[in-house]
Each structure stands twice: as C-alpha cells, then as structure tokens.
C-alpha cells in the first residue's frame, strides 16, 4: 500500500513540475513574440497583447530579468499609445523588480522608461530626477552609451523648459563620454542646433545643422528632409536667401525620393499580403468556392484602400510643395521690394547719379500691382496652411466641439494642445501678419486663426476661456486694426 502511495505522489509531483515548465516556456514564447512585434515591427497593439499574455503566465511575486523586461516593454507600448499613467505604472514595476534583482543595467533601463513616461505626462521635474538616477547607475557601471543617453535626455527636458544654456552644458558633458561614432556626433550636433534655434542664434543653428547633415545616416531620407527644412528656416532668418532656396530644393528632392521609397514599400507589402492570402486560401480552403470569392473581394478592397491612401499622400505632398513654392515667391518678392525701395526716388543733379537712375528698368519699380500680388501670395499661404491643418487629428477635435452639449470651458490639458496645433499650423504666416499689423495682440491673432479654421464663437469661448461678448469686441478690434481683405479672409473664412 505504501508503495502505491509513493508512486502516486511521485507522479503528482512530476505532473506539477511539467506543468510549471510548460507554463514558463509559454511565457517565454509570448515574450519573444511581443518583443518581435514591438521592437522590429512597431505593432503596439498586437505586441502589447502578447506581452500581457506572457505576464499572466509569469509569477509576479518572483522577480526575474524576463519579468523586469516585460514590464519595460509594456511601458514602451503604452507610451507609444499615449496612455501615460499605464506607462508610468509599468515602468515603476520594472524599476522595483530591477531593484530587487540588484541589477544596475536593468535599473538604468527601467529608470529611462519611467523618465520618458513622466516627460510624456509633462512632469519634467520627476523626469529629470529619474534621468539623473539612471545617470548615476550608468556612471557606476562605466556604461558610456548609457551615460551619453542620460545627458542627452536631461538636455532634451531642459530645452522643453526653455533653458537652452543648461542643455548645451549637458550635451557638452555627454560628448566627452561618446565614442565619436557617426550616430553620437549626429546626435550631438542635432541637439546643439535645437538649443541655438531656441536661443534664436540662427548662424550657430545653421552651422550645427550642416554638421548634423554630415553625420546622418545615408538612408535616413526623412531625417535629412526635416534637417533641410530647419536649415532653410535658419538661413532665411539670417538673410541668406540663396542658401535658403537651395535648402528648400534639397528638401523637395528628398520628399520626392522618400515618397517613391514608401510607395515601393507599400506595393511590396501589398504584394506579399496577396501572396500569403493566396497560399493560405489554396492550402486550407481550396474546396470552397465562396471563400475564394471573399478572398478576391478582400484583395480588391486592399487595393482600393492603398489607392485612396496613395491619393491622400499625393495631395498632401502637392499642398506642401505649393506652400514651399509660395514661400519662395514671397521671399523673392520681398527682396525685390527691399531693393526697389532702397533705390533713390528722384535722380540727383550729379551726372553719375543721373546715369544710375536712368539705367533703372521699369520692372525694378515697386508698384501697387506688385504689392497686391505679394498680398495675394500671403493669402494663398493662409489658405493652403488651413487645408493642411484640416488633415490633422486636431481639426477633427475642433469640429467635434461644435456639437458638444456641455459649453463649459475646457481644461488646460484639453484646450492648450488644440490651440498649439492651430498656431503651429500657421507658424510661418503668423509673423507676417504681426509684422504687417503690429497693433494686433496675440489674443486677437489666435482668435482670428481659430475663426479661420472654422471655429464658431461658442467653440472659441471654450478653448480660450473667454466670454462670447469679449470675443465680439475682439472681432471688432481686429477689423479696425487690419484691412478689409484680411478681415474677410480670416474672420469670415472667405
């Protein structure tokens, strides 16, 4: 009897050990699957589901490196999906797990994730504290890569706090630990250019952007395009218009190349999807004629969706190209006006000045017609900027506010991003409006832009925390301070 009891006990124990082993293996498989989806394919929803499944199979009371990394990647998933509180919670759990394991490498990674989550939640003080703690662990481990990353992250927070001098000092400290690779040097000069842009020191900004372009990866077309756009802005502000025009042309060429590359990738993805669906259909559903018909319909639908996406991207690219061309034409017209206005209005009594005056062509004179053409260029820029803004998610949120039954003022977390998105959409046109009509206040300009993108007074009241009576007065003041065509364009949306 005792013999049978012992055998039954051994079988029971073996079954439990096998079940635990299978559970651990399944957790590892789901973890690897989530890692593949998150890190390589950037599929946040599917990767998050796999990681959560892996977490459910792990014992959270027993800290392991896999458990800590699972928390880290879940924080990354929710960070990319803008679920800040969940990102913070999982980053805290990863830090606690790494602390229990006494693993400085894991603690550094968890602290970086926690700091990034705090930064996303606009809790800059907490983000800096976490980055500094990560820096301390990196210094203990003499991990130069982590040290450079920590200094760069703290500097980025300082830039967002409008402290470019503090950020520059941090970037200088970070480069001392860098390996002087192309990636480290690119990050260094790119960060310096952001600081000088923040300080409006456009000459230094232009130099650092040019150095960053020397070290950027050759196949990073999108990054080069953005840098050339910033270089155009810097050269424009320094008055170097020939270089600015060259920068715009370079950005447009990169935009075309990037569009072609993405188009090829989309076509390749569609082709791969078609081949996979065809194979699975022939393998599993070859006897069912109706399933083949459904697969064909799905395939046609995929091509239709791809065509619509291609058309929308093409339209966006055309609007951006049109905006760039209008900016170039306006810059040239402004330059021509400056040259024409700098010429003497009447010929001098001296022969040399008389000869110089007589040599001017009629086309060099600045006429009312040319001034009207320049104004029309500005108006076209406003209209195209509005069309581009209407493709953003912020435009949809503004339209939804019209149908909101609760007319109370929005909170700062709701309204400030919407107002910032409108100002950012017209960031190039707003200085022109302020320079042409210096009596305009910032509130009046914001009110005009919100009206221009289609907001009514009730919506603007919720966004700006201003009564509708005050908005009507602001509308009247805007009309008095500007011309009739500007008022009609911005306030009436004509």
């Amino acid at each position: 009897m005792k013999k049978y009891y012992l055998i039954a006990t051994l079988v029971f124990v073996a079954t439990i050990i096998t079940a635990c082993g299978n559970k651990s293996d399944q957790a590892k498989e789901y973890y690897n699957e989530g890692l593949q989806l998150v890190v390589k394919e950037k599929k946040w929803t599917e990767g998050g589901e796999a990681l959560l499944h892996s977490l459910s199979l792990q014992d959270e009371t027993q800290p392991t490196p896999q458990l800590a990394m699972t928390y880290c990647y879940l924080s990354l998933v929710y960070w990319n999906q803008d679920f800040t509180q969940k990102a913070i919670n999982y980053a805290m759990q990863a830090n606690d797990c790494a602390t229990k394991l006494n693993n400085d490498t894991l603690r550094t990674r968890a602290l970086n994730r926690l700091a990034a989550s705090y930064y996303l939640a606009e809790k800059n003080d907490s983000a800096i504290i976490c980055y500094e703690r990560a820096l301390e662990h990196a210094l203990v481990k003499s991990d130069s890569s982590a040290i450079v990353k920590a200094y760069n992250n703290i500097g980025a927070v300082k830039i967002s706090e409008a402290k470019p001098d503090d950020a520059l000092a941090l970037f200088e400290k970070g480069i001392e630990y860098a390996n002087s690779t192309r990636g480290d040097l690119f990050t260094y000069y790119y960060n310096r250019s952001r600081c000088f842009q923040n300080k409006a020191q456009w000459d230094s900004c232009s130099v650092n952007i040019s150095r960053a372009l020397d070290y950027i990866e050759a196949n990073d077309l999108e990054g080069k395009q953005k840098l050339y756009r910033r270089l155009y802005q810097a050269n424009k502000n320094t008055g170097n218009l020939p270089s600015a025009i060259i920068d715009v042309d370079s950005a447009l060429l990169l935009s075309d190349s990037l569009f072609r590359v993405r188009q090829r990738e989309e076509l390749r993805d569609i082709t791969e999807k078609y081949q996979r669906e065809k194979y699975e259909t022939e393998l599993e559903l070859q006897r069912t004629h109706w399933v083949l018909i459904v697969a064909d319909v799905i395939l046609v639908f995929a091509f239709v969706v791809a065509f619509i996406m291609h058309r929308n991207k093409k339209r966006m690219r055309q609007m951006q190209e049109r905006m760039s061309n209008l900016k170039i034409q306006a810059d040239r017209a402004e330059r021509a006006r400056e040259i024409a206005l700098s010429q003497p209005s009447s010929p001098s009594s001296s022969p040399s000045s008389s000869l110089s005056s007589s040599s001017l062509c009629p086309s060099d004179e600045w006429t009312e017609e040319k001034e009207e053409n320049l104004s029309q260029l500005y108006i076209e820029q406003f209209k195209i900027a509005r069309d581009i803004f209407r493709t953003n998610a912020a435009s949809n949120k503004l339209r939804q506010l019209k149908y909101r039954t609760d007319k109370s003022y929005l909170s700062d977390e709701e309204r400030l991003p919407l107002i910032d998105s409108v100002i950012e959409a017209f960031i190039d046109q707003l200085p022109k409006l302020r320079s042409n009509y210096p009596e305009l206040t910032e509130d009046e300009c914001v009110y005009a832009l919100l009206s221009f993108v289609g907001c009514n007074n009730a919506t603007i009241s919720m966004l700006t925390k201003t009564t509708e009576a005050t908005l009507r007065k602001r509308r009247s003041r805007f009309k008095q301070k500007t011309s009739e065509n500007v008022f009609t364009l911005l306030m009436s949306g004509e």
Side-chain angles (χ1 to χ4, degrees):
M1 191 68 178
K2 292 182 179 179
K3 180 179 179 181
Y4 292 120
Y5 178 76
L6 180 61
I7 293 174
T9 303
L10 291 174
V11 171
F12 178 73
V13 171
T15 303
I16 293 177
I17 294 175
T18 303
C20 291
N22 292 336
K23 192 175 181 179
S24 177
D25 292 340
Q26 289 178 359
K28 184 67 174 178
E29 290 177 2
Y30 280 116
Y31 170 80
N32 292 332
E33 180 184 353
L35 197 64
Q36 172 74 18
L37 292 169
V38 169
V39 176
K40 294 185 177 180
E41 300 181 18
K42 309 298 182 184
K43 295 181 178 179
W44 310 114
T45 302
E46 296 84 349
E49 291 175 355
L51 290 170
L52 287 172
H53 204 159
S54 174
L55 184 63
S56 67
L57 296 172
Q58 299 181 55
D59 186 1
E60 297 186 57
T61 61
Q62 299 295 327
T64 62
Q66 179 178 318
L67 180 62
M69 292 304 299
T70 303
Y71 286 137
C72 279
Y73 283 119
L74 281 171
S75 176
L76 176 63
V77 167
Y78 287 117
W79 183 84
N80 279 280
Q81 294 178 332
D82 290 334
F83 294 113
T84 55
Q85 192 55 50
K86 288 186 176 180
I88 291 172
N89 293 339
Y90 278 113
M92 285 182 173
Q93 289 179 284
N95 185 42
D96 293 339
C97 186
T99 302
K100 293 176 181 178
L101 292 170
N102 197 22
N103 189 320
D104 285 332
T105 302
L106 287 176
R107 287 203 68 186
T108 302
R109 188 157 190 169
L111 286 168
N112 282 325
R113 286 267 20 104
L114 183 57
S117 302
Y118 277 132
Y119 182 64
L120 181 65
E122 299 182 358
K123 298 179 179 179
N124 292 343
D125 293 336
S126 299
I128 290 177
I129 292 173
C130 291
Y131 280 137
E132 288 175 347
R133 290 170 61 191
L135 177 61
E136 293 174 1
H137 291 289
L139 289 171
V140 170
K141 297 287 291 185
S142 298
D143 188 347
S144 59
S145 176
I147 294 172
V148 174
K149 184 177 180 181
Y151 276 121
N152 288 337
N153 288 333
I154 299 173
V157 178
K158 293 293 183 181
I159 292 176
S160 66
E161 294 179 341
K163 297 179 180 178
D165 292 327
D166 295 343
L168 279 172
L170 290 166
F171 297 145
E172 294 297 335
K173 289 182 181 179
I175 197 63
E176 295 176 2
Y177 294 89
N179 296 322
S180 298
T181 60
R182 291 182 63 90
D184 289 337
L185 292 173
F186 165 75
T187 303
Y188 171 68
Y189 287 114
Y190 173 75
N191 287 332
R192 282 173 57 86
S193 71
R194 291 178 60 197
C195 294
F196 289 119
Q197 182 179 5
N198 193 279
K199 297 172 68 175
Q201 295 180 2
W202 298 109
D203 288 326
S204 300
C205 179
S206 176
V207 170
N208 282 275
I209 293 175
S210 300
R211 296 299 303 274
L213 282 167
D214 294 336
Y215 294 106
I216 195 171
E217 294 293 335
N219 58 352
D220 189 1
L221 300 180
E222 185 174 3
K224 288 182 178 179
Q225 181 191 31
K226 292 180 179 179
L227 285 177
Y228 272 115
R229 288 180 178 177
R230 294 182 60 204
L231 186 59
Y232 157 75
Q233 189 71 25
N235 286 327
K236 176 185 173 184
N237 282 289
T238 57
N240 190 358
L241 295 181
S243 298
I245 293 173
I246 293 173
D247 297 334
V248 169
D249 293 337
S250 301
L252 289 175
L253 290 174
L254 287 169
S255 178
D256 291 338
S257 301
L258 183 62
F259 175 76
R260 288 193 294 269
V261 168
R262 289 179 175 175
Q263 187 181 37
R264 287 196 296 269
E265 290 177 352
E266 289 175 359
L267 292 175
R268 185 180 67 247
D269 292 341
I270 292 174
T271 303
E272 291 176 354
K273 180 180 178 181
Y274 168 74
Q275 295 295 337
R276 184 171 61 253
E277 288 181 352
K278 181 179 178 180
Y279 170 77
E280 292 176 354
T281 302
E282 291 178 352
L283 182 64
E284 299 177 4
L285 306 172
Q286 56 184 349
R287 297 180 182 179
T288 310
H289 178 68
W290 289 108
V291 174
L292 294 176
I293 294 176
V294 171
D296 291 338
V297 171
I298 293 174
L299 184 61
V300 171
F301 180 74
F303 276 110
V304 171
V305 171
F307 172 76
I308 294 173
M309 292 174 61
H310 169 70
R311 184 188 61 184
N312 291 339
K313 290 181 179 179
K314 182 178 180 181
R315 180 172 176 269
M316 175 61 73
R317 183 170 61 88
Q318 289 174 347
M319 288 191 295
Q320 292 173 345
E321 291 176 355
R322 176 60 178 162
M323 177 65 80
S324 299
N325 291 333
L326 287 173
K327 289 179 182 178
I328 294 173
Q329 294 176 28
D331 290 340
R332 290 174 177 171
E334 289 177 354
R335 182 61 178 165
R337 179 174 62 182
E338 293 175 1
I339 294 173
L341 295 178
S342 65
Q343 299 293 340
S345 59
S346 60
S348 175
S349 59
S350 64
S352 61
S353 62
S354 176
L355 178 61
S356 175
S357 176
S358 62
S359 63
L360 289 174
C361 298
S363 60
D364 294 334
E365 299 178 357
W366 189 255
T367 62
E368 293 183 359
E369 181 182 356
K370 293 182 178 180
E371 185 67 31
E372 180 64 26
N373 291 338
L374 181 57
S375 300
Q376 190 62 33
L377 289 175
Y378 292 150
I379 290 174
E380 290 296 326
Q381 288 184 32
F382 269 102
K383 291 181 179 179
I384 294 177
R386 180 176 60 184
D387 292 339
I388 294 175
F389 173 74
R390 285 174 176 172
T391 63
N392 295 338
S395 178
N396 294 330
K397 292 182 180 179
L398 289 177
R399 284 196 293 268
Q400 293 171 2
L401 289 177
K402 292 182 179 180
Y403 309 103
R404 181 169 173 165
T405 56
D406 183 11
K407 299 299 181 181
S408 60
Y409 296 150
L410 299 179
S411 64
D412 290 345
E413 291 78 7
E414 292 177 310
R415 68 185 188 88
L416 291 179
L418 294 175
I419 295 176
D420 291 342
S421 65
V422 174
I423 294 176
E424 184 179 355
F426 299 92
I427 194 67
D428 294 327
Q429 292 74 37
L430 189 57
K432 299 292 184 182
L433 181 64
R434 296 292 297 275
S435 63
N436 290 337
Y437 305 99
E439 295 182 358
L440 289 175
T441 65
E442 182 179 351
D443 291 340
E444 290 168 351
C445 290
V446 171
Y447 173 63
L449 293 179
L450 290 173
S451 300
F452 185 57
V453 298
C455 296
N456 55 19
N457 274 356
T459 302
I460 299 175
S461 175
M462 289 188 288
L463 285 169
T464 60
K465 293 186 176 181
T466 309
T467 63
E468 294 192 37
T470 303
L471 294 179
R472 286 192 290 270
K473 294 178 182 179
R474 193 169 292 169
R475 177 187 180 92
S476 177
R477 290 198 301 268
F478 187 88
K479 184 175 183 180
Q480 294 173 0
K481 295 178 182 180
T482 58
S483 60
E484 184 66 28
N485 60 340
V486 172
F487 175 80
T488 303
L489 171 71
L490 296 181
M491 306 302 290
S492 302
E494 295 292 329

